[in-house]
Amino acid sequence: MVQITANMNETPVAITEKVSGPWRDAWRAFRKNKIAMAGLIMILFFILIALLAPVLAPYDYKDQQLADRLKPPSSEHWFGTDDLGRDLFSRVLYGARISLWVGTFSVLGSIVLGTALGILAGFYGKWIDMLISRLFDILLAFPSILLAIAIVAILGPSLQNALYAIAIVNIPTYGRLVRAKVLSLKNEEYITAARAIGMKNSGILLRHILPNSLTPIIVQGTLGIATAIIEAASLGFLGLGAQPPAPEWGKMLSDSRQFIATAPWTVLFPGLCILLTSLGFNLMGDGLRDAFDPKMKNR
């Protein structure tokens, strides 16, 4: 709010200025993208059901009623039951917790480690850059799912080890992204000015390099959660992720694959949840990329 007064006898006139900034401009551009907003709504929906799973679930996800096994969807069991008589609706709700937890924290781990390595490689260069870049090349030489399987096979099948494996295989994605960004930033004039006034490298990295590298990290991280959820479901499907009786969506698909013809609902609802969750993060990630890209603002 800005007040302009011509002289002491005139009443101040209030002029409302629209607050602007890179983050506010990006949010305004994101809100105008209906597809991206649809993705955000889908993500918020799954987050909500994950948080409210104990309230919304009509049954305990571990409760077995063999007399009710493979019952089709009904008013009593909205999504039907599985081969052990467990309520699929309750298991799908609790499965959202597992998938979102694995997807989010595996990506956070990849971002932290990848960003640290990428900044060191891009900023200091020389043998540090060569060593870290070769490490990235080695990790990228293997298909991500095969490398994740190998890591889990070494550590042992469990949900936690699956999270570690997914985080490790995605480190090069964020490391290379940050390294390229740092290489373009470290020769900018404001970095040279910071060195000229005696600022230490740690201060330059934390106050200038890292904040200006956040945009591509945020966009890639959002897209990466969708990939991590699919990878976690793949490991669960192979029996290397969540172990029974954990209601992980991929494991639910694996346990029900023999009933596709006789009880299709046992694979339909977990598969649909994987699809919608991944789709939501992909749509949101595409929207963030367009919102943060200056070239897209004039389109």
Side-chain angles (χ1 to χ4, degrees):
M1 189 75 68
V2 179
Q3 291 187 338
I4 301 177
T5 305
N7 54 57
M8 298 298 295
N9 297 324
E10 293 183 358
T11 304
V13 179
I15 300 178
T16 303
E17 292 184 349
K18 193 174 184 179
V19 180
S20 182
W23 292 99
R24 288 189 175 91
D25 291 343
W27 171 240
R28 293 191 188 105
F30 182 83
R31 285 189 303 177
K32 294 178 181 179
N33 190 330
K34 295 181 180 179
I35 295 178
M37 287 300 295
L40 177 60
I41 292 172
M42 292 166 64
I43 294 170
L44 292 176
F45 171 76
F46 279 100
I47 292 175
L48 185 63
I49 65 172
L51 294 175
L52 297 179
V55 178
L56 298 175
Y59 301 93
D60 186 340
Y61 71 86
K62 301 187 295 291
D63 187 19
Q64 300 181 17
Q65 298 292 335
L66 296 180
D68 296 332
R69 63 188 305 270
L70 297 178
K71 279 194 171 182
S74 64
S75 58
E76 184 179 3
H77 299 284
W78 291 0
F79 289 179
T81 61
D82 63 7
D83 59 313
L84 296 177
R86 295 173 296 192
D87 182 65
L88 277 178
F89 180 70
S90 301
R91 292 181 62 78
V92 165
L93 292 180
Y94 278 95
R97 286 185 160 191
I98 296 176
S99 293
L100 292 175
W101 179 76
V102 172
T104 302
F105 284 95
S106 63
V107 167
L108 286 177
S110 300
I111 288 176
V112 171
L113 295 175
T115 299
L117 293 173
I119 286 178
L120 291 175
F123 190 78
Y124 291 102
K126 299 182 180 178
W127 66 270
I128 297 178
D129 185 18
M130 184 184 67
L131 182 63
I132 294 176
S133 296
R134 296 298 78 78
L135 174 62
F136 290 163
D137 291 339
I138 292 172
L139 291 176
L140 289 171
F142 299 92
S144 58
I145 188 62
L146 292 181
L147 182 57
I149 291 173
I151 294 172
V152 175
I154 294 171
L155 298 178
S158 72
L159 184 62
Q160 187 174 9
N161 290 338
L163 188 153
Y164 294 152
I166 295 169
I168 291 171
V169 300
N170 288 307
I171 286 175
T173 302
Y174 302 95
R176 281 191 159 189
L177 184 67
V178 173
R179 176 183 176 273
K181 187 67 176 178
V182 172
L183 288 174
S184 66
L185 290 174
K186 71 176 185 178
N187 294 321
E188 293 287 341
E189 293 181 357
Y190 63 89
I191 301 296
T192 304
R195 287 197 180 99
I197 63 175
M199 183 177 290
K200 296 180 179 180
N201 287 339
S202 58
I204 294 174
L205 290 173
L206 294 176
R207 296 183 61 181
H208 298 293
I209 299 294
L210 181 59
N212 286 286
S213 303
L214 287 178
T215 298
I217 295 174
I218 293 173
V219 174
Q220 185 59 43
T222 306
L223 294 170
I225 293 177
T227 303
I229 290 175
I230 294 175
E231 289 174 344
S234 301
L235 292 174
F237 185 86
L238 296 173
L240 298 174
Q243 300 300 303
E248 198 272 325
W249 292 336
K251 181 62 176 171
M252 292 170 67
L253 289 177
S254 176
D255 293 341
S256 303
R257 66 183 184 276
Q258 58 184 314
F259 305 112
I260 292 178
T262 57
W265 58 86
T266 57
V267 296
L268 172 63
F269 295 110
L272 192 60
C273 287
I274 295 173
L275 169 66
L276 293 178
T277 308
S278 302
L279 178 62
F281 279 106
N282 279 324
L283 294 179
M284 182 178 171
D286 288 340
L288 288 174
R289 180 195 58 199
D290 295 344
F292 283 117
D293 188 353
K295 297 178 183 178
M296 302 296 295
K297 293 180 180 179
N298 296 323
R299 295 186 179 184

